[in-house]
Amino acid sequence: MTDAVPVQSWKVTLPCTRAEAEALEGDIAAFAMMDKPPVLMTSEAEPDNENSWRLEAYFEGRPGPAAVKLLRTLVPSAGAVRPVVEQLPDEDWVTLSQQGLEPVTAGRFHVRNLPGDPEQPDYVNFLICASRAFGTGQHETTSGCLMMLDRMRRVGMRFRNVADIGTGTGLLAFAALRLWPRALATASDIDPVAVEISADNARANGVRLGAGAGQVALFTAAGADHPAIVGRAPYDLLIANILAGPLIELAPSLCALVEEGGTIVLAGLLKEQADAVLAAYRVQGMRLAERSDRGDWPTLRLRKRPRIGWKRPRRFNSAERGEAWGFGSI
């Protein structure tokens, strides 16, 4: 794996009850709009005491008063307790916080986060170790995309040219290539570390890197702003598991990369953001073909409407940069 780079890590600790801890399982919508949401962990403070648990929130950078206030709303029982806010030694806090995650099964895919976890027979197994890139399968958006890809394959959909914009760990690109092994696959992320980690994950999972059929080509890019991403278009399947803001901003450039009749799978948005995201893509000639919600996180499958005559979409113009700085995958 890529060597970790130290970051400034802070931890906020609050007491909570077991019921409050269990309510925090999964991803918290309250933090979804933050550029760098905290990683939440709960544990028993006293064995067999349901009212003696703790909540630990790991932040990249010192949390402000608003973030701490929001955190307090998650554990009402600690209303009178002063939170413990402390800076941690320089270390790779994302990796540490993800160590020990349970394997995830989504559709035909089984995603392990630790080398010691056993593979599952009759599933497509991936090993995606905890790292500084997101997309280990734990987040509802990633598992929702895996399930959507699985359903598309089960109903007989076929693709020959796939792009995964904001790839994170590379998992969704790898999954698409396992489903359609003769396809070209392009994966990109704004974070060069994520691209390095994706390359490591590809080698660990026997996924070939390269520009040919059955291989994944990796690029560092903000959105679609890379000549190779443009040059490998048009795509018949494009996946973008990022956030609602960049999804809306990138709608023109992403849709221009997709051929008529092609498919876009979108994730990383909340339920209340779905209408705004859909509106941005409908303007670009997309229609909603399927929606699947996992908790507060929908996965959208869109299809590009064929057009004729003067309404026909023009080729992607590389001068229209199509970038969304500061955003990678979930």
Side-chain angles (χ1 to χ4, degrees), residues 244-245 247-248 251 266 269 273-282 300 302:
L247 284 178
I248 293 172
L266 302 178
L269 57 146
Q273 299 168 330
D275 288 344
V277 172
L278 283 170
Y281 283 78
R282 286 193 178 107
L300 309 176
L302 311 177

Side-chain angles (χ1 to χ4, degrees), residues 2-67:
T2 301
D3 292 337
V5 177
V7 296
Q8 186 183 33
S9 308
W10 288 76
K11 182 174 72 170
V12 179
T13 305
L14 280 166
C16 65
T17 66
R18 178 177 178 176
E20 290 169 337
E22 290 177 346
L24 294 177
E25 292 182 358
D27 294 279
I28 307 303
F31 288 105
M33 299 306 294
M34 294 179 61
D35 288 343
K36 297 178 180 179
V39 174
L40 306 182
M41 300 183 68
T42 58
S43 59
E44 290 180 288
E46 298 178 17
D48 302 322
N49 185 346
E50 292 191 351
N51 292 318
S52 185
W53 282 58
R54 71 169 64 92
L55 166 65
E56 296 171 319
Y58 293 84
F59 290 84
E60 183 177 352
R62 183 168 188 166

Side-chain angles (χ1 to χ4, degrees), residues 130-176:
S131 68
R132 291 171 55 230
F134 288 94
T136 59
Q138 301 289 331
H139 198 291
E140 282 89 342
T141 61
T142 307
S143 57
C145 286
L146 290 173
M147 296 181 70
M148 181 68 75
L149 294 174
D150 179 61
R151 284 198 299 276
M152 290 160 59
R153 181 65 180 84
R154 291 186 188 278
V155 299
M157 298 179 69
R158 297 182 180 180
F159 301 102
R160 53 179 172 70
N161 194 7
V162 179
D164 178 15
I165 305 299
T167 193
T169 61
L171 174 59
L172 297 179
F174 304 161

Side-chain angles (χ1 to χ4, degrees), residues 14 28-34 38 55 59 64-75:
L14 280 166
I28 307 303
F31 288 105
M33 299 306 294
M34 294 179 61
L55 166 65
F59 290 84
V68 176
K69 182 178 179 180
L70 183 57
L71 192 68
R72 293 177 68 98
T73 65
L74 303 179
V75 286

Side-chain angles (χ1 to χ4, degrees), residues 62-134:
R62 183 168 188 166
V68 176
K69 182 178 179 180
L70 183 57
L71 192 68
R72 293 177 68 98
T73 65
L74 303 179
V75 286
S77 66
V81 179
R82 185 183 181 90
V84 177
V85 182
E86 56 187 319
Q87 183 177 358
L88 302 177
D90 288 340
E91 55 190 354
D92 184 3
W93 64 273
V94 173
T95 298
L96 293 176
S97 68
Q98 293 184 2
Q99 287 176 353
L101 295 176
E102 292 295 321
V104 171
T105 299
R108 73 184 68 193
F109 300 104
H110 182 76
V111 184
R112 301 173 295 132
N113 301 120
L114 294 173
D117 291 334
E119 293 189 357
Q120 293 297 313
D122 302 322
Y123 283 89
V124 176
N125 288 272
F126 288 112
L127 173 63
I128 305 293
C129 293
S131 68
R132 291 171 55 230
F134 288 94

Side-chain angles (χ1 to χ4, degrees), residues 2 174 195-209:
T2 301
F174 304 161
V195 175
E196 293 175 7
I197 290 171
S198 294
D200 291 339
N201 287 336
R203 288 184 281 268
N205 287 278
V207 177
R208 292 187 297 157
L209 298 174

